[in-house]
Amino acid sequence: MLAFLGAIICIIASVHPAGTAAPAAAADNDSAAAALLPAADKGLGALHGPAEALASAGPRLPGGPPLFSRFVCTPLSTECPAAGTGTAAGSAAGPEELLALRSAAAQLRRTALEQKERIRMDQETIRELTGKLSRCEGGLRSPPGPAPPAAAGLRAAPRPGTMGHPPDEPPAVRELEEAVRTLQDRIDRIEQELPARTNGSAPTAPALARDALHTKMEQLEEQLLSKILTLQKERQAASTDRSQQQQNIEKELSSLQNRVTELEHGPLGYSPPDAFKVTIPVQNNYMYARVKKSLPELYAFTICMWLKSKALAGIGTPFSYSVPSQANEIVLLEWGSNPLELLINDKVAQLPLSLKDKAWHHVCVAWTTRDGKWSAYQDGEQRGAGENLASWHSIRPQGVIILGQEQDTLGGRFDATQAFVGELAQFGVWDHMLAPAEILALANCTSHLQGNVIQWDDQAVEVFGGASKAGFAACEEGRKA
């Protein structure tokens, strides 16, 4: 800006009229130059000097006063025009050019003032933003309370490279800047101390809290595992107690049922031990009768009984024999819409028998291990026969005989959908295949042949779960039916 003003002054000096320089013109020159310069002369120290030296050093015209007396032009890259060039033309056009230069100088001065005002406004904006930033940093980083006393010392001697301002700035701005610097110093010290705290031998508070939490969690896990083990033991004990209680309840129910039967029908009026029947009134998984005696090892058998089914669909399971290694060693079963089946060692043969008319029927099944031959009889007549049913298999001993339920395990795990509902009697087992005539005699009540392996005896059969025993005369009942 100063160089530009110097060039303008050089132009003014060169176009000043040389031949007709009068005191009035010199005064105008001085006043124009004075109007272009600011009142304070310290900003243009390079463009002025003592009046006497300038007067003696300035160029002169022959016989006339010097062209200027106060201003001197420093050398610029653009040379000023020669003073003697076009004197006549310069004198003729002098006032217009002077007015133009004055207008340009006034415009430049206004531009300089506008730029100065804009710079002042920018400085105010910067100071305001700096104050806001200081307040934000003070609220986020510094703890509540008065600023540390070190801020006063920093205010007196600001460090180089920080947010310093000229001496004429307001004290509030400088105090805000010093507060920001103080906070920055504190942050720097905290960041430097953090690695030392992390690497120190004493554990930090978060680490201690985390270790305590882990220890507490481990203790809770141990307590939970101990509680689970205790509950498992209690459940096993409760299951055992429940099984024992169920057996006791079944025995009590059987006793009560027998007592009720005696009270309803009077004392049992049969003298033969085989003149009784077992009644299972409801289809469930807890009413049944059990034969106390087991089977020996058999290579052939004949099983006969009287039965009367009251089921709406299949008759269920009149009897089942289970051994420890095979639940379906011998089973007579009619389940749902399936036909009546004889199972031996889990092998199946379908029997063409019809027992769903809710009447008494005499049923016999015979089998031999030789070629697995079998035959089935209903009311003394053979209804079916076959072979290859568990060929060369021997019936295993030491099993359990259940009347009215199908065993899924030895002596238990009954299924209510496979239970027998009705009455049965005269259950007997032989260790050979009976002749057809012997079976017909049993069905017609002309023979009192008893099984040589299992005999129907009141003392050998016990009932559970509400099943009951009552008097029964096979032929009389058959005739009534």
Side-chain angles (χ1 to χ4, degrees), residues 93-109:
E96 292 79 2
E97 293 180 359
L98 182 60
L99 290 175
L101 291 173
R102 286 179 177 177
S103 300
Q107 181 67 27
L108 289 173
R109 185 176 182 183

Side-chain angles (χ1 to χ4, degrees), residues 271-312:
S271 54
D274 62 340
F276 73 97
K277 63 182 178 181
V278 172
T279 302
I280 301 176
V282 181
Q283 187 178 35
N284 50 44
N285 62 349
Y286 55 85
M287 288 187 179
Y288 63 96
R290 177 171 177 170
V291 179
K292 295 180 181 180
K293 189 176 179 180
S294 183
L295 297 179
E297 185 176 10
L298 298 176
Y299 299 94
F301 65 78
T302 300
I303 300 175
C304 295
M305 73 186 75
W306 286 89
L307 61 86
K308 179 181 178 181
S309 174
K310 295 182 180 180
L312 299 177

